Amino acid sequence: MEGTYGGYESPARPGPRKREFEHRNDIVEIGRRLYRKGFIAAADGNISVRMEPDRILTTPSGMNKGRLTPEDLVVTDARGRLLYGKHRPSSELEMHLVMYHERPDVCAVVHAHPPHASGFAVAGIAMDQPLLSEVILTLGTVPLAEYGTPTTPELAEAVRPHAGHDGILLANHGALTAGRDLFQAYDRMETLEHSAHIFIVARILGTERPLSEEHVARLRMIREQVGFEPPTRACLNCSVLDEKMAGAGRAPDPKTGAMTFTQEQLVELITDVVKGL
Ligand SMILES: [Zn+2]
């Protein structure tokens, strides 16, 4: 799981902080992947990275995300006000900002319209059935956010109550994933779409068999132990730490990424996770 700078995918430990041009190259690369995979068409989707607490690098409005160049990207502050760049930021940036505001551990957000996951969103069905063990480990449950008209603040406000999840379906619209870095956020979009496809096949076959509560509880324990854990670490780029997390002694060691807990904290954390799912 441990990554090294340059070729990492979802590293378990914070690596050296990336520079802006590297974040730009990463966003261009992820835009191409989203397009190649058929997760977006034409000018769909948007991608962002929180480079520093008040510096968001994001995709421009109205351009095809499969054909971006690093110079096309724009930088805003944490409230979405343009700082520099030759284009306008996406009108959907606000829902990314909600994720950054609510989740100190999140440093990248991906929004796309992958066909199977978006099918669930159009049908009004959350992906909250414990059907696939891998998905419980890496993504957790995927709720359905209420419909919000794109380009209005409604969309961001519909996302807010679900910001604790790493993947969210947006009713009659698409999907949103978040991660500690861009590759993790993108991987979660792939996992979300892949599992939506499998769920649909299982439904067609007519014999979906959810995992038992006991199996789900064991998977959640593993999720904690192996480091797929939900918000307990600082964001990779800007080291924003929730005061609550720092106060609870959950802040990772800056060098090793190791964390220590009292027994009480550990019980509380596991209880939170089980409740959350
Ligand atoms: Zn969209």
Side-chain angles (χ1 to χ4, degrees), residues 59-191:
T59 46
S61 175
M63 292 179 74
N64 186 309
K65 310 308 177 296
R67 299 197 294 266
L68 292 173
T69 65
E71 298 72 38
D72 289 328
L73 306 179
V74 301
V75 175
T76 75
D77 66 11
R79 294 172 64 184
R81 291 175 297 206
L82 183 67
L83 296 177
Y84 52 93
K86 55 186 177 181
H87 301 290
R88 270 185 307 120
S90 163
S91 54
E92 293 178 333
L93 178 64
E94 240 181 287
M95 65 182 170
H96 298 231
L97 302 178
V98 162
M99 293 302 288
Y100 294 133
H101 185 258
E102 301 292 325
R103 294 276 301 272
D105 61 309
V106 159
C107 265
V109 176
V110 172
H111 162 58
H113 303 167
H116 298 91
S118 302
F120 273 81
V122 170
I125 303 170
M127 288 168 56
D128 52 5
Q129 292 293 307
L131 297 174
L132 288 168
S133 51
E134 293 268 338
V135 175
I136 295 170
L137 279 178
T138 57
L139 190 61
T141 53
V142 180
L144 176 73
E146 272 178 37
Y147 179 74
T149 309
T151 80
T152 73
E154 275 174 35
L155 189 58
E157 288 317 308
V159 163
R160 195 183 298 279
H162 305 287
H165 293 259
D166 295 327
I168 302 168
L169 293 175
L170 311 169
N172 300 87
H173 184 169
L176 183 113
T177 53
R180 297 178 64 225
D181 65 76
L182 188 53
F183 287 88
Q184 188 181 53
Y186 171 78
D187 283 348
R188 285 174 170 161
M189 186 62 79
E190 269 194 359
T191 300

Side-chain angles (χ1 to χ4, degrees), residues 201-265:
V201 171
R203 200 155 283 188
I204 290 168
L205 295 173
T207 51
E208 288 161 88
R209 293 193 307 175
L211 289 158
S212 69
E213 265 180 43
E214 188 196 331
H215 285 135
V216 172
R218 273 166 65 189
L219 287 165
R220 284 171 188 154
M221 289 290 287
I222 296 168
R223 180 178 159 118
E224 287 287 312
Q225 287 161 2
V226 300
F228 290 118
E229 79 286 12
T232 53
R233 289 169 190 258
C235 148
L236 274 182
N237 299 335
C238 55
S239 302
V240 175
L241 252 189
D242 189 348
E243 276 173 27
K244 204 170 66 188
M245 290 186 332
R250 290 178 191 169
D253 181 291
K255 284 196 188 114
T256 64
M259 291 179 290
T260 48
F261 302 91
T262 63
Q263 192 182 13
E264 196 182 39
Q265 284 169 345

Side-chain angles (χ1 to χ4, degrees), residues 37-74:
K37 284 277 207 175
F39 291 1
I40 50 174
D44 288 351
N46 25 78
I47 306 163
S48 72
V49 168
R50 173 159 58 181
M51 300 187 291
E52 290 173 43
D54 202 26
R55 286 285 180 284
I56 313 292
L57 178 67
T58 188
T59 46
S61 175
M63 292 179 74
N64 186 309
K65 310 308 177 296
R67 299 197 294 266
L68 292 173
T69 65
E71 298 72 38
D72 289 328
L73 306 179
V74 301

